[in-house]
Amino acid sequence: MKRVITIILCLMLLLSLNGCTSAKDSSNVKNKEITILIDSNSYHDLKFNAPVFNAYKQKFEREKGIKVNFDVIDVKNKEYENKLRSKLYLKDGPTLIYVSPWSFCGSLIKTGIALKVDDKLKNYAKIYDSIKDENKCFIPISMYHYPIALNRKVFKKLGIEEPGLDWTREDYFRIREKWLTEEPQNFTPYLFRELMWNIMEELEVYDSKNNKVNIDKSKVIGYIKKLKDELHSGKYILKDSYTFENYYRMFYEIESKEYKEAKEMTLYNDTDSIRRQFYYRNALNSLGNSVEMDIGEHIVLPQVVDEFKKLVLWGFIVNRNGKNIDLGLEFLNWLLSDEVQLEIFKKKRDYPVNKDIEDEIEKIEKDNNINEKSIALRKYLLTKIKNGDYKSLKNYSDKYLVIRSELTNNIIKFVFADKDYTDEEITEEMKKLEDKLNMWLNE
């Protein structure tokens, strides 16, 4: 009898131990997950426009047994910023924060929420040094360079020699001037904004070191006069009936008739324009550019007008308060691996940030008989990036863009106004803007 009782007790003990082990294993499986915090717009883009990311996310989940979840915040929600920040200060909050191509991460890094990863992420050393942020917190996954595609047909018509890869912003505007002088074009915001893209540098309004706005009123007055002279120079076909309200809607209200007409006009004239306004190829990816350059209709050259399109990056930062940070780092290490980075290149859209696979990329180009001009363009741009000649949007602050937007909006108001502003009135308005921006900077 004692023997039977002993056997029963042993069996109960074994069952109990097995039960504990199962519960523990179940808990481990549940805990093997990471969460990516992302806004709703970026989630849509990443889900539908990043095939390599999605494919390798699924492969990572299968091979590593680590679930990758998304925590999506609706950008249309008025409490978006508050919701974002509240999640980042939670214990065991989201592991990673997605940083889209056109967004900033500097302000988050300054709060101390981002983890410094250079000594924690093995493949971080493979990233091109020039695109690493000074805090070693942002982890780029791929990069873009949006080039300028000039119309070869127009060049032949005007008898203009084609520029080389080392052309400049001044070269572009000389060509543009000849084109407009020969044949005036319908006015569109796209043509006009080209003139204003360097407004912050030309007017030198923001002292980032001292976090202060200083507006040289006389310089602004001269700038406005120059733009008004350009507008009424005869190079643009203007609508006589248009008032300031029409121009305002053309520039800013995407649902307005004026905005839609201007966009349709630009699309319609794209093949006869000096350049294609809607050319979205990545000049770094020679596989994706080769066919366009083979056709020969366009002269594809480095971007020299729009600074923000010279180097566009997307990636992640690691949340210091995140859950399963080690697993998040493992996922990022996977995305930066030679295998995944080569797949990014093969998809003909993005360009890898891993500098160790350049030889493999050259072999792929050779095996696919890629256009030599496309290869030369990639190598030229890569040299510029390695030398630090191109700044990413991530190098700018969100303050820079807000000030730029406010200044541009005010300048447009003066240029397209139904009445002529006096120098005194412009000075007074600029002083108000200066005070407003400095008050905002010091909040």
Tab-separated table of all heavy atoms in Angstrom, residues 268-290:
chain	number	residue	atom	x	y	z
A	268	TYR	N	-0.009	67.090	-67.786
A	268	TYR	CA	-0.248	67.113	-69.231
A	268	TYR	C	0.990	67.612	-69.987
A	268	TYR	O	1.330	67.098	-71.055
A	268	TYR	CB	-1.446	68.017	-69.548
A	268	TYR	CG	-1.787	68.085	-71.014
A	268	TYR	CD1	-2.490	67.047	-71.635
A	268	TYR	CD2	-1.406	69.179	-71.792
A	268	TYR	CE1	-2.803	67.094	-72.993
A	268	TYR	CE2	-1.715	69.248	-73.149
A	268	TYR	CZ	-2.417	68.202	-73.738
A	268	TYR	OH	-2.725	68.261	-75.073
A	269	ASN	N	1.664	68.607	-69.413
A	269	ASN	CA	2.821	69.216	-70.087
A	269	ASN	C	4.149	68.554	-69.717
A	269	ASN	O	5.212	69.016	-70.139
A	269	ASN	CB	2.906	70.715	-69.742
A	269	ASN	CG	1.738	71.487	-70.319
A	269	ASN	OD1	1.194	71.116	-71.356
A	269	ASN	ND2	1.343	72.559	-69.643
A	270	ASP	N	4.084	67.481	-68.916
A	270	ASP	CA	5.308	66.877	-68.386
A	270	ASP	C	6.266	66.429	-69.488
A	270	ASP	O	7.485	66.537	-69.350
A	270	ASP	CB	4.947	65.680	-67.497
A	270	ASP	CG	5.926	65.506	-66.344
A	270	ASP	OD1	6.528	66.511	-65.936
A	270	ASP	OD2	6.088	64.375	-65.869
A	271	THR	N	5.719	65.951	-70.597
A	271	THR	CA	6.581	65.444	-71.669
A	271	THR	C	7.204	66.569	-72.500
A	271	THR	O	8.168	66.343	-73.221
A	271	THR	CB	5.785	64.523	-72.609
A	271	THR	OG1	4.612	65.210	-73.054
A	271	THR	CG2	5.385	63.245	-71.902
A	272	ASP	N	6.639	67.776	-72.401
A	272	ASP	CA	7.171	68.910	-73.166
A	272	ASP	C	7.915	69.920	-72.291
A	272	ASP	O	8.449	70.908	-72.791
A	272	ASP	CB	6.025	69.643	-73.890
A	272	ASP	CG	5.357	68.742	-74.920
A	272	ASP	OD1	6.087	68.058	-75.656
A	272	ASP	OD2	4.116	68.716	-74.961
A	273	SER	N	7.932	69.670	-71.004
A	273	SER	CA	8.597	70.576	-70.072
A	273	SER	C	10.109	70.344	-70.102
A	273	SER	O	10.576	69.302	-70.573
A	273	SER	CB	8.055	70.347	-68.660
A	273	SER	OG	8.752	71.123	-67.720
A	274	ILE	N	10.857	71.292	-69.585
A	274	ILE	CA	12.316	71.143	-69.524
A	274	ILE	C	12.704	69.994	-68.587
A	274	ILE	O	13.737	69.370	-68.736
A	274	ILE	CB	13.004	72.466	-69.079
A	274	ILE	CG1	14.518	72.383	-69.273
A	274	ILE	CG2	12.681	72.783	-67.627
A	274	ILE	CD1	14.948	72.326	-70.698
A	275	ARG	N	11.818	69.687	-67.621
A	275	ARG	CA	12.069	68.582	-66.700
A	275	ARG	C	10.751	67.927	-66.314
A	275	ARG	O	9.681	68.524	-66.426
A	275	ARG	CB	12.770	69.058	-65.432
A	275	ARG	CG	11.949	70.001	-64.577
A	275	ARG	CD	12.583	70.321	-63.248
A	275	ARG	NE	12.471	69.231	-62.286
A	275	ARG	CZ	12.585	69.405	-60.964
A	275	ARG	NH1	12.839	70.613	-60.472
A	275	ARG	NH2	12.470	68.395	-60.145
A	276	ARG	N	10.843	66.694	-65.882
A	276	ARG	CA	9.662	65.999	-65.379
A	276	ARG	C	9.498	66.330	-63.899
A	276	ARG	O	10.407	66.090	-63.093
A	276	ARG	CB	9.808	64.485	-65.553
A	276	ARG	CG	9.606	64.015	-66.971
A	276	ARG	CD	9.666	62.499	-67.071
A	276	ARG	NE	8.619	61.855	-66.280
A	276	ARG	CZ	8.484	60.519	-66.184
A	276	ARG	NH1	9.332	59.724	-66.817
A	276	ARG	NH2	7.520	60.000	-65.469
A	277	GLN	N	8.349	66.889	-63.548
A	277	GLN	CA	8.112	67.257	-62.154
A	277	GLN	C	7.809	66.032	-61.291
A	277	GLN	O	8.038	66.045	-60.095
A	277	GLN	CB	6.946	68.247	-62.068
A	277	GLN	CG	7.258	69.625	-62.625
A	277	GLN	CD	8.243	70.401	-61.771
A	277	GLN	OE1	8.483	70.058	-60.618
A	277	GLN	NE2	8.819	71.435	-62.344
A	278	PHE	N	7.288	64.979	-61.915
A	278	PHE	CA	6.860	63.820	-61.138
A	278	PHE	C	7.699	62.590	-61.486
A	278	PHE	O	7.178	61.537	-61.823
A	278	PHE	CB	5.376	63.549	-61.381
A	278	PHE	CG	4.505	64.729	-61.065
A	278	PHE	CD1	3.891	65.446	-62.072
A	278	PHE	CD2	4.312	65.138	-59.757
A	278	PHE	CE1	3.090	66.548	-61.786
A	278	PHE	CE2	3.522	66.229	-59.456
A	278	PHE	CZ	2.909	66.935	-60.467
A	279	TYR	N	9.012	62.738	-61.412
A	279	TYR	CA	9.931	61.621	-61.664
A	279	TYR	C	10.410	61.105	-60.313
A	279	TYR	O	11.202	61.752	-59.628
A	279	TYR	CB	11.113	62.104	-62.507
A	279	TYR	CG	12.041	60.990	-62.963
A	279	TYR	CD1	11.768	60.266	-64.111
A	279	TYR	CD2	13.181	60.673	-62.242
A	279	TYR	CE1	12.604	59.246	-64.535
A	279	TYR	CE2	14.034	59.658	-62.656
A	279	TYR	CZ	13.738	58.950	-63.803
A	279	TYR	OH	14.576	57.930	-64.222
A	280	TYR	N	9.910	59.927	-59.908
A	280	TYR	CA	10.163	59.451	-58.547
A	280	TYR	C	11.093	58.242	-58.476
A	280	TYR	O	11.064	57.501	-57.506
A	280	TYR	CB	8.841	59.134	-57.845
A	280	TYR	CG	7.974	60.360	-57.634
A	280	TYR	CD1	6.656	60.384	-58.071
A	280	TYR	CD2	8.492	61.495	-57.013
A	280	TYR	CE1	5.860	61.510	-57.874
A	280	TYR	CE2	7.706	62.621	-56.821
A	280	TYR	CZ	6.395	62.623	-57.253
A	280	TYR	OH	5.623	63.743	-57.062
A	281	ARG	N	11.908	58.047	-59.488
A	281	ARG	CA	12.886	56.953	-59.433
A	281	ARG	C	13.957	57.271	-58.390
A	281	ARG	O	14.287	58.438	-58.151
A	281	ARG	CB	13.556	56.780	-60.786
A	281	ARG	CG	12.599	56.439	-61.921
A	281	ARG	CD	12.217	54.997	-61.918
A	281	ARG	NE	11.351	54.654	-63.038
A	281	ARG	CZ	10.855	53.457	-63.245
A	281	ARG	NH1	11.148	52.488	-62.404
A	281	ARG	NH2	10.069	53.214	-64.273
A	282	ASN	N	14.526	56.214	-57.820
A	282	ASN	CA	15.647	56.379	-56.906
A	282	ASN	C	16.930	56.280	-57.718
A	282	ASN	O	17.276	55.210	-58.215
A	282	ASN	CB	15.609	55.297	-55.823
A	282	ASN	CG	16.720	55.442	-54.798
A	282	ASN	OD1	17.547	56.345	-54.886
A	282	ASN	ND2	16.731	54.559	-53.823
A	283	ALA	N	17.639	57.395	-57.861
A	283	ALA	CA	18.838	57.424	-58.707
A	283	ALA	C	19.959	56.546	-58.169
A	283	ALA	O	20.872	56.172	-58.907
A	283	ALA	CB	19.333	58.859	-58.850
A	284	LEU	N	19.899	56.194	-56.885
A	284	LEU	CA	20.913	55.311	-56.315
A	284	LEU	C	20.724	53.869	-56.775
A	284	LEU	O	21.681	53.097	-56.835
A	284	LEU	CB	20.855	55.358	-54.782
A	284	LEU	CG	21.509	56.570	-54.126
A	284	LEU	CD1	21.053	56.688	-52.681
A	284	LEU	CD2	23.025	56.490	-54.198
A	285	ASN	N	19.489	53.510	-57.092
A	285	ASN	CA	19.228	52.128	-57.493
A	285	ASN	C	19.333	51.991	-59.011
A	285	ASN	O	18.389	52.269	-59.746
A	285	ASN	CB	17.859	51.665	-57.001
A	285	ASN	CG	17.727	50.159	-57.059
A	285	ASN	OD1	17.992	49.542	-58.082
A	285	ASN	ND2	17.340	49.554	-55.941
A	286	SER	N	20.473	51.560	-59.473
A	286	SER	CA	20.750	51.469	-60.912
A	286	SER	C	19.837	50.470	-61.610
A	286	SER	O	19.537	50.613	-62.797
A	286	SER	CB	22.214	51.086	-61.141
A	286	SER	OG	22.550	49.948	-60.367
A	287	LEU	N	19.371	49.451	-60.886
A	287	LEU	CA	18.460	48.472	-61.498
A	287	LEU	C	17.137	49.129	-61.872
A	287	LEU	O	16.551	48.832	-62.905
A	287	LEU	CB	18.180	47.313	-60.517
A	287	LEU	CG	19.348	46.412	-60.109
A	287	LEU	CD1	18.854	45.313	-59.183
A	287	LEU	CD2	20.027	45.807	-61.322
A	288	GLY	N	16.676	50.027	-61.031
A	288	GLY	CA	15.400	50.691	-61.278
A	288	GLY	C	15.473	51.817	-62.270
A	288	GLY	O	14.457	52.238	-62.839
A	289	ASN	N	16.673	52.334	-62.522
A	289	ASN	CA	16.854	53.464	-63.449
A	289	ASN	C	17.276	53.046	-64.847
A	289	ASN	O	17.168	53.816	-65.793
A	289	ASN	CB	17.946	54.407	-62.908
A	289	ASN	CG	17.348	55.560	-62.151
A	289	ASN	OD1	16.334	56.116	-62.542
A	289	ASN	ND2	17.977	55.916	-61.053
A	290	SER	N	17.777	51.838	-64.980
A	290	SER	CA	18.436	51.423	-66.214
A	290	SER	C	17.554	51.543	-67.456
A	290	SER	O	17.974	52.075	-68.481
A	290	SER	CB	18.932	49.983	-66.073
A	290	SER	OG	19.669	49.599	-67.205
